Amino acid sequence: MRKKKLENLKEAPLGYWEESSYMMVVPEEATQELLDGILDRLLNMKEIKILEKQPLTEETPGKVRLIYEEEEYEIGFYPSGFSVPEFYLNQNYYFTEEEKKNLMNAKASLTIFMKFNQNAKKSYHLQLKLALAMVPNMLGIMDESAEKMLPTAWVKMTANSKILPGANTLYNVQAVSNDEGETWLHTHGLCRCGLTELEILKSDQKNYNNHYNLISTLASYLLDKKEEYQGSAYIGLLVNRQPVVATYVSWTQGLKEYQQLKLGNIEDRQNGHNSKTSIIFLYKNEKDEKNKTLTEVSEFNDLWGENPIFFISNEETERMKQLAIEKFDYVKKAFQNKENNIIIKIGLPIDNENNFEHIWFELIELNEDQFKAKLLQEPYDVKDIHEGDERTFTVNDITNWLIYTPSFTIQPESVYLLER
């Protein structure tokens, strides 16, 4: 009976939140004046050119067709009710207790929806900019497509930045566990980017973090390099230096690879996770990759070690570098407080190669144009510099940084915490 059921599985049609990107913007105060002024506020945006606009009515959403960075987009918007699941406020981003209280008490929002163009990060960036312009007095945004809540300070920081958001901001990884500890990891938000959602079945509490990193790395890989995906992705190294070669198949096919499954089975997909979503598998070797022989992720549990290596794309490395440079003034300010400890990642050129080894230094001296830092680890491939050596660099040498305060850690992606 089970085999027959699996043979007849079909993907369900995409939901509206999967076909387009839906965001619910929560205002401090929902008023008619706020709604009436939406189009005027969009007209004041210097970054866009409006080609066509349709005002909001009681029967139809408002619509705007516009040009942003030489590409055409169409957005829609309408007033909507609002209710946020409490766990949205305890994942991904930090909310103050007052922010949580205000969001839990909020009853109204403005829903903004749009189809993403080919560059999903650029489309997402635009949607944040539009949301901030349309509802400048926001309490936050519920990204319905990714099932997560975005704090106002982060939205403002990201929307006003010249650097695109990272791939990992476009989706969310959620975990469902049962009483026996079996865990089902799955993404939300990739479908709106023209991709499939991703899943890992039969995870557990011991291996959850490694599996989370695996699904996140593959999702970001697809967003950064989706045109290069040819059925498998080399995205990391296991403890024995064996390559992590990931692939995925539709859930309708992937379920056939599991004999016993307590989470993520057919019964769990009656009301969701049954459209364009795929299960991740790994290849053990080149022969398996050639023959498309799939292996469950859980069979690799003993090979992750304490610090498995997951690769970052060149595109993401460059984006992180530009963001670290853009936000470096926060490092200058934080360095004035001697309770803070700051480390900076520098790209050191590898001999005879047009490549760099990215390695951490401790900041020990800082002036306007240069800074002195001490190497914190022994390089793998760079000669003539060793752990403990001090060198002078410029801001353009930076690829990342971390600020360790007495209370929390700040990176370029989370400087909104310093605005609190």
Side-chain angles (χ1 to χ4, degrees):
M1 179 62 72
R2 179 181 182 274
K3 183 176 181 181
K4 185 176 180 180
K5 284 184 178 180
L6 292 176
E7 288 177 351
N8 295 326
L9 291 179
K10 292 183 179 180
E11 287 187 357
L14 291 176
Y16 67 86
W17 64 93
E18 295 172 318
E19 290 186 317
S20 297
S21 178
Y22 273 73
M23 293 186 181
M24 303 175 75
V25 192
V26 187
E28 292 179 3
E29 186 178 1
T31 64
Q32 188 61 43
E33 182 181 0
L34 177 70
L35 293 176
D36 292 341
I38 285 175
L39 291 178
D40 289 336
R41 289 191 290 276
L42 288 179
L43 286 168
N44 289 330
M45 284 184 67
K46 296 180 180 180
E47 297 171 278
I48 66 172
K49 178 183 178 182
I50 294 181
L51 303 177
E52 183 181 347
K53 58 180 190 269
Q54 175 182 307
L56 174 71
T57 69
E58 292 185 2
E59 292 79 25
T60 60
K63 290 186 179 180
V64 174
R65 191 163 58 88
L66 57 86
I67 296 290
Y68 173 68
E69 294 187 355
E70 301 182 349
E71 290 188 353
E72 186 174 316
Y73 298 83
E74 185 174 296
I75 67 164
F77 58 92
Y78 58 87
S80 49
F82 179 77
S83 176
V84 58
E86 189 170 0
F87 78 91
Y88 280 24
L89 303 175
N90 296 304
Q91 60 175 7
N92 299 299
Y93 303 97
Y94 173 77
F95 293 86
T96 65
E97 291 304 314
E98 182 179 2
E99 287 174 323
K100 290 181 181 179
K101 178 181 177 181
N102 290 336
L103 287 166
M104 291 300 293
N105 291 333
K107 304 299 181 186
S109 65
L110 180 75
T111 292
I112 302 172
F113 60 95
M114 61 181 284
K115 283 189 177 293
F116 280 0
N117 285 5
Q118 185 173 3
N119 188 331
K121 286 184 282 189
K122 179 179 172 181
S123 299
Y124 182 82
H125 201 202
L126 171 61
Q127 193 169 14
L128 293 179
K129 291 174 180 288
L130 294 169
L132 188 59
M134 295 165 79
V135 187
N137 63 333
M138 70 169 67
L139 292 173
I141 295 177
M142 187 165 78
D143 185 342
E144 184 179 359
S145 293
E147 294 195 4
K148 62 181 177 179
M149 196 75 207
L150 310 174
T152 300
W154 183 87
V155 172
K156 289 181 177 179
M157 179 200 77
T158 306
N160 292 326
S161 174
K162 295 180 181 179
I163 312 302
L164 290 177
N168 62 352
T169 62
L170 275 67
Y171 62 89
N172 188 22
V173 182
Q174 292 183 356
V176 177
S177 299
N178 60 18
D179 294 337
E180 300 173 17
E182 185 172 319
T183 302
W184 173 24
L185 295 171
H186 48 261
T187 63
H188 294 278
L190 292 177
C191 277
R192 64 176 169 184
C193 304
L195 301 172
T196 176
E197 302 295 344
L198 296 172
E199 308 179 18
I200 292 179
L201 301 176
K202 290 180 67 174
S203 183
D204 53 41
Q205 294 179 350
K206 180 181 178 181
N207 295 281
Y208 166 83
N209 286 331
N210 289 325
H211 294 167
Y212 176 91
N213 289 329
L214 170 59
I215 196 172
S216 297
T217 302
L218 181 57
S220 296
Y221 171 96
L222 295 172
L223 281 164
D224 284 339
K225 305 168 68 173
K226 62 182 179 182
E227 73 281 0
E228 297 180 18
Y229 178 74
Q230 299 293 329
S232 60
Y234 174 34
I235 58 174
L237 291 173
L238 297 168
V239 68
N240 60 356
R241 308 299 290 181
Q242 179 179 342
V244 178
V245 182
T247 189
Y248 58 83
V249 297
S250 172
W251 70 274
T252 60
Q253 296 298 315
L255 287 186
K256 299 174 184 178
E257 300 292 324
Y258 291 85
Q259 297 302 315
Q260 293 183 338
L261 194 61
K262 297 176 181 177
L263 280 176
N265 52 39
I266 302 173
E267 289 73 19
D268 293 327
R269 299 173 186 270
Q270 298 301 312
N271 299 309
H273 303 288
N274 57 4
S275 59
K276 193 175 181 181
T277 180
S278 300
I279 301 170
I280 297 174
F281 294 90
L282 299 179
Y283 290 126
K284 290 182 177 179
N285 47 50
E286 290 185 12
K287 181 179 178 181
D288 281 2
E289 183 178 1
K290 181 179 179 180
N291 296 328
K292 308 299 181 185
T293 302
L294 305 176
T295 300
E296 297 175 19
V297 171
S298 59
E299 290 193 27
F300 290 74
N301 285 348
D302 294 333
L303 297 176
W304 295 107
E306 293 185 3
N307 294 297
I309 298 172
F310 290 101
F311 300 146
I312 299 175
S313 70
N314 291 335
E315 178 180 338
E316 176 61 11
T317 300
E318 180 61 24
R319 189 200 70 84
M320 291 170 62
K321 173 182 175 69
Q322 294 305 319
L323 186 65
I325 292 173
E326 181 186 79
K327 305 299 182 186
F328 194 69
D329 281 346
Y330 287 94
V331 172
K332 293 180 179 179
K333 186 175 181 179
F335 190 65
Q336 297 172 13
N337 185 342
K338 298 308 177 183
E339 290 188 323
N340 297 330
N341 182 46
I342 300 171
I343 63 173
I344 297 176
K345 184 175 283 188
I346 303 292
L348 300 177
I350 298 175
D351 295 345
N352 302 320
E353 293 185 39
N354 187 23
N355 246 324
F356 294 85
E357 182 174 340
H358 300 276
I359 195 165
W360 289 104
F361 288 75
E362 180 183 2
L363 180 63
I364 58 177
E365 187 178 309
L366 176 64
N367 58 42
E368 192 63 31
D369 301 316
Q370 296 180 327
F371 62 89
K372 182 182 289 186
K374 181 173 68 175
L375 183 58
L376 293 175
Q377 59 194 105
E378 193 68 21
Y380 285 102
D381 299 307
V382 182
K383 299 178 181 178
D384 302 324
I385 187 170
H386 302 281
E387 181 179 353
D389 288 355
E390 297 179 4
R391 293 288 190 274
T392 299
F393 301 100
T394 69
V395 175
N396 288 330
D397 295 316
I398 294 170
T399 58
N400 202 356
W401 50 256
L402 293 173
I403 302 170
Y404 294 104
T405 77
S407 303
F408 45 76
T409 302
I410 302 294
Q411 56 183 329
E413 300 280 2
S414 60
V415 293
Y416 73 95
L417 293 173
L418 295 176
E419 301 291 346
R420 302 301 174 91

